[in-house]
């Protein structure tokens, strides 16, 4: 039995589809026939996808019949097919009743297993990677692996972190990620220059990292990258020269997202907790400069403004509490995941050392006390960008004025957990 259902999904994808057209394209008899045939798989081979025609015909030509095993596989595929079909109908009708909403009353997910992984975050944990069947934007799930070992659980998590950060920038940018945090991020006139600066920002932590690039990887950048032991690289594409150079590193995983560059892409962020699932839209909020507020007597220089905006974008992708010190489009120090903000700042200052003099600082959330501003002044910071919103904001502003530091309030927090 071969059945092609009415194209309901394709119909509702049309921008001008009417409700009547959608209803008309709900198949009734087809799913009934499919389910009946699938239930009777011992005697019937049910075919619901043109991709199945070849294997079924080949088996008939070779054996004169369809084997028991294939009939069972076809039945499983048939029930999956009708289940997905009904899901699209349910979601469409739910949307008609609830209107356009990000958070439906019933959340139904359709994910396909891309691969079983050797293990999870740790060797004693079992894991698999599930991929969205349709991804409209550049993503780790939709990327094509060109070479290297099989991706690990941690590789996939870090590749996502690298991709989400590097797509923040329109100029050539590079990032090196360790444990989802950027140890080095840079923007420059060329991709090779951006990568070299990102590496020099923290060469110790870069070892064994994940590299993200927002331009196709060229030969010059590939030669620079080949000197580092890295786990994986994700970029829009790889030139033939780059593939030849990096081909010598057989285990290095290369992932191409497609396209010439990367654009920020919205998605629904999910976090699993025992007994439930947290759902939120991705943190793609970008403050226009005109909406940012100078709250100190001193205003940033034009060069400081550029660095503040750069550091602010990086801080959004650092685990909270997060402090980023930057200058010249390069991170100099990153304090990530600390339980108090001044502690994160001290880590960033220690890493930046004397380079912090004349640099800027970005904080993902407000300062509860003036201590971080005082520490920044001692390190030589000239400008700060932070959300503001603390009951002690005036104390931080006063401290900045005392030290001659310019400070910007964004009005937006960027916690990351």
């Amino acid at each position: 039995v071969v059945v092609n259902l009415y194209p309901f999904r394709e119909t509702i994808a049309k921008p001008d589809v009417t409700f009547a057209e959608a209803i008309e394209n709900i198949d009734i008899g087809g799913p009934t026939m499919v389910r009946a045939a699938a239930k009777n798989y011992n005697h019937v081979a049910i075919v619901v996808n043109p991709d199945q025609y070849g294997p079924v015909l080949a088996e008939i030509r070779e054996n004169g019949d369809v084997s028991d095993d294939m009939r069972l596989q076809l039945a499983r595929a048939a029930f999956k097919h009708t289940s997905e079909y009904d899901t699209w109908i349910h979601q469409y009708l739910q949307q008609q009743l609830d209107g356009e909403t990000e958070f439906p009353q019933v959340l139904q997910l359709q994910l396909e297993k891309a691969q079983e992984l050797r293990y999870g975050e740790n060797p004693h944990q079992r894991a698999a990677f599930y991929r969205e069947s349709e991804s409209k934007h550049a993503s780790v799930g939709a990327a094509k692996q060109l070479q290297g070992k099989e991706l690990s659980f941690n590789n996939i998590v870090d590749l996502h972190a690298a991709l989400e950060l590097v797509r923040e920038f329109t100029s050539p940018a590079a990032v090196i990620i360790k444990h989802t945090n950027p140890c080095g991020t840079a923007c420059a006139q060329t991709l090779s220059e951006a990568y070299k600066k990102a590496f020099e920002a923290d060469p110790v932590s870069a070892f064994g990292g994940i590299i993200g690039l927002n331009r196709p990887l060229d030969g010059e950048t590939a030669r620079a990258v080949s000197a580092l032991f890295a786990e994986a690289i994700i970029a829009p594409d790889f030139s033939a020269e780059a593939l030849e150079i990096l081909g010598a590193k057989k285990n290095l995983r290369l992932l191409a997202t497609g396209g010439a560059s990367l654009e920020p892409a919205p998605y629904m962020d999910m976090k699993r907790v025992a007994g439930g699932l947290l759902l939120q839209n991705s943190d793609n909020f970008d403050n226009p400069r005109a909406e940012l507020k100078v709250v100190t007597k001193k205003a940033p220089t034009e060069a400081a403004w550029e660095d503040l905006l750069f550091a602010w974008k990086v801080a959004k992708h650092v685990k909270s509490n997060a402090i980023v010190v930057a200058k010249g489009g390069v991170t100099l120090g990153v304090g990530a995941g600390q339980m108090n903000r001044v502690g994160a700042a001290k880590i960033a200052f220690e890493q930046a050392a004397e380079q912090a003099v004349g640099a800027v600082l970005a904080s993902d959330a407000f300062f509860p006390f003036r201590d971080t501003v005082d520490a920044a002044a001692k390190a030589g910071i000239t400008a700060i960008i932070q959300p503001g919103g603390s009951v002690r904001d005036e104390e931080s502003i006063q401290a900045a004025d005392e030290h001659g530091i310019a400070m910007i309030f964004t009005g937006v927090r960027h916690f990351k957990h």
Side-chain angles (χ1 to χ4, degrees):
V1 176
V2 180
V3 179
N4 292 317
L5 303 180
Y6 287 179
F8 179 80
R9 185 176 179 182
E10 292 77 10
T11 299
I12 63 172
K14 297 175 183 177
D16 56 348
V17 65
T18 65
F19 183 71
E21 286 178 294
I23 296 300
E24 182 62 26
N25 277 275
I26 296 177
D27 202 325
I28 300 300
T32 302
M33 190 183 306
V34 168
R35 290 173 60 84
K39 179 180 179 180
N40 197 29
Y41 72 91
N42 280 321
H43 307 287
V44 180
I46 174 64
V47 180
V48 296
N49 191 317
D51 292 341
Q52 299 168 331
Y53 296 173
V56 171
L57 288 171
E59 185 154 312
I60 292 173
R61 291 191 187 103
E62 184 176 345
N63 303 319
D65 198 359
V66 180
S67 67
D68 294 346
D69 183 64
M70 177 168 278
R71 288 199 306 275
L72 181 57
Q73 291 183 39
L74 291 171
R76 179 185 62 182
F79 282 118
K80 177 176 180 287
H81 188 60
T82 57
S83 173
E84 291 173 350
Y85 193 79
D86 287 342
T87 296
W88 280 104
I89 296 170
H90 170 259
Q91 289 179 341
Y92 176 76
L93 294 177
Q94 180 173 273
Q95 187 181 64
Q96 300 307 303
L97 292 170
D98 298 344
E100 292 290 339
T101 176
E102 290 181 297
F103 308 108
Q105 192 65 33
V106 177
L107 179 65
Q108 294 177 314
L109 302 175
Q110 291 288 342
L111 301 171
E112 297 178 355
K113 186 164 71 173
Q115 65 187 96
E116 291 195 15
L117 306 173
R118 284 190 300 158
Y119 51 80
E121 280 187 282
N122 301 291
H124 62 273
Q125 294 174 273
R126 297 183 301 278
F129 179 41
Y130 285 80
R131 177 184 292 136
E132 294 176 349
S133 56
E134 288 189 3
S135 181
K136 299 179 181 179
H137 305 283
S139 65
V140 176
K144 181 179 180 182
Q145 185 170 351
L146 305 180
Q147 76 163 49
K149 295 194 298 185
E150 182 179 295
L151 291 171
S152 72
F153 184 101
N154 293 330
N155 288 158
I156 293 170
V157 173
D158 284 344
L159 283 163
H160 171 72
L163 184 62
E164 292 307 300
L165 172 49
V166 82
R167 76 196 317 162
E168 292 275 359
F169 306 104
T170 55
S171 58
V175 60
I176 303 174
I177 293 286
K178 288 290 286 290
H179 300 291
T180 73
N181 285 305
C183 51
T185 307
C187 290
Q189 294 297 313
T190 66
L191 190 65
S192 62
E193 184 183 359
Y195 168 73
K196 290 171 185 175
K197 288 182 175 181
F199 170 74
E200 290 166 0
D202 187 356
V204 174
S205 299
F207 181 84
I210 300 287
I211 300 170
L213 307 167
N214 70 346
R215 295 288 191 280
L217 181 58
D218 54 50
E220 183 180 356
T221 308
R223 278 186 284 274
V225 167
S226 65
L228 172 70
F229 169 68
E231 288 280 341
I233 304 173
I234 189 165
D237 207 349
F238 294 76
S239 72
E241 183 183 10
L243 290 173
E244 182 179 357
I245 292 168
L246 298 176
K249 301 171 80 72
K250 301 296 184 184
N251 290 333
L252 176 61
R253 305 159 178 90
L254 304 181
L255 278 79
T257 61
S261 62
L262 301 171
E263 299 291 337
Y267 64 93
M268 295 308 292
D269 182 38
M270 302 179 189
K271 288 183 171 61
R272 185 79 166 89
V273 298
L277 185 75
L278 288 167
L279 187 68
Q280 64 178 352
N281 59 353
S282 54
D283 187 3
N284 288 328
F285 190 89
D286 189 18
N287 298 78
R289 177 170 163 175
E291 296 180 5
L292 304 181
K293 184 180 180 182
V294 179
V295 295
T296 47
K297 296 175 183 177
K298 182 179 179 180
T301 64
E302 192 58 33
W305 264 112
E306 291 183 11
D307 284 334
L308 286 165
L309 296 175
F310 167 81
W312 180 238
K313 289 181 176 181
V314 176
K316 183 166 72 172
H317 297 270
V318 179
K319 289 293 182 70
S320 301
N321 287 310
I323 295 290
V324 174
V325 174
K327 185 178 181 181
V330 184
T331 54
L332 304 176
V334 178
Q338 298 305 298
M339 284 65 73
N340 66 78
R341 194 152 300 279
V342 72
K346 288 177 180 177
I347 291 173
F349 297 147
E350 182 180 355
Q351 185 182 355
E354 67 276 1
Q355 295 181 92
V357 177
V360 306
L361 178 150
S363 173
D364 67 329
F366 64 63
F367 298 145
F369 306 101
R370 63 172 284 166
D371 51 3
T372 301
V373 180
D374 292 330
K378 187 175 180 181
I381 296 296
T382 60
I384 294 172
I385 187 168
Q386 58 129 325
S390 168
V391 294
R392 292 188 172 90
D393 274 346
E394 287 303 320
E395 294 178 18
S396 294
I397 294 170
Q398 181 182 347
D401 284 335
E402 289 174 10
H403 298 301
I405 294 175
M407 187 153 65
I408 308 298
F409 278 7
T410 67
V412 176
R413 188 182 72 187
H414 285 304
F415 269 171
K416 183 177 176 64
H417 296 104

